[in-house]
Amino acid sequence: MDAQTWDALVESMKSAYSAGLAEGAVPRPVIMPLVRGELVGLIWVRPTEPGKDALTGIAELANIAAAAGADEVVLAWETHDVATACQLPINGPVPCLNMVHATKDGHVLHQFPYTEQPPSHSPEGRGSAEPAWRPAVEPQPGGELVLPVQAAVDYSFIPLELDHPSPFGVTVVLMEEDGYNVRLNEAFAG
């Protein structure tokens, strides 16, 4: 992935966090598979129950990358949100947008800590928190990933064995039926 694409994905996630916090919640974990440098789309984890279901839901994000034959993936998640949902200890800065860029040969963890600024009041009288981005943590090649994210990275590069004429298309349909929010780029949507 070139630097311009990476920067665009980082800015996209930071914007999503700003919008999410304004509505009172951070976005759910998301995977962004790439095939030959082209973004397939963004797939957000389905609504999950705390514990094992959350672990499974995040790990299953890999299905779309595997079905697309992705040669690289980016996953994004919030430290506290995933630790709470998966009932795992918090590891790393909090609050923090984490993004991992992975290929079958390894991964680099990027962390973007922030503080939630007190709500600003809109003309309608509603308050909303906004992230104040702190300096990014130095990128960590091979950095420790939370368990379900590590599983998603690992499984993203194992081809799906589906006896179907369109393994990617059927995977998209099945994931949408399970509640995953799938937004494909035009080149992969049709």
Side-chain angles (χ1 to χ4, degrees):
M1 169 185 336
D2 62 35
Q4 185 177 359
T5 301
W6 171 255
D7 291 345
L9 292 178
V10 169
E11 286 310 307
S12 171
M13 288 298 103
K14 284 184 171 181
S15 293
Y17 271 61
S18 294
L21 286 171
E23 295 174 3
V26 295
R28 292 191 303 243
V30 61
I31 191 169
M32 297 161 267
L34 292 99
V35 175
R36 292 179 295 288
E38 188 173 351
L39 182 66
V40 173
L42 285 79
I43 301 85
W44 287 268
V45 76
R46 62 179 165 75
T48 59
E49 296 295 323
K52 186 176 179 183
D53 186 51
L55 290 164
T56 300
I58 295 168
E60 287 176 345
L61 287 169
N63 291 342
I64 198 97
D71 40 33
E72 51 189 328
V73 296
V74 174
L75 281 95
W77 70 98
E78 202 284 326
T79 302
H80 186 266
D81 183 58
V82 167
T84 300
C86 295
Q87 300 174 335
L88 297 169
I90 292 174
N91 186 11
V94 175
C96 183
L97 163 61
N98 300 278
M99 293 179 72
V100 63
H101 174 227
T103 66
K104 64 179 177 11
D105 299 322
H107 69 268
V108 178
L109 175 62
H110 300 263
Q111 294 180 303
F112 304 95
Y114 61 92
T115 54
E116 288 185 34
Q117 293 179 325
S120 59
H121 291 285
S122 65
E124 297 84 31
R126 292 190 309 253
S128 61
E130 292 181 13
W133 297 102
R134 299 190 347 237
V137 174
E138 191 67 29
Q140 303 163 53
E144 185 178 350
L145 302 177
V146 65
L147 183 65
V149 172
Q150 182 67 60
V153 166
D154 293 345
Y155 291 121
S156 287
F157 304 108
I158 299 173
L160 283 184
E161 301 291 332
L162 286 177
D163 185 20
H164 192 277
S166 176
F168 179 71
V170 75
T171 300
V172 168
V173 168
L174 292 172
M175 291 185 77
E176 287 177 329
E177 286 176 356
D178 282 346
Y180 289 86
N181 183 342
V182 179
R183 296 287 175 256
L184 299 178
N185 279 349
E186 287 181 23
F188 293 91

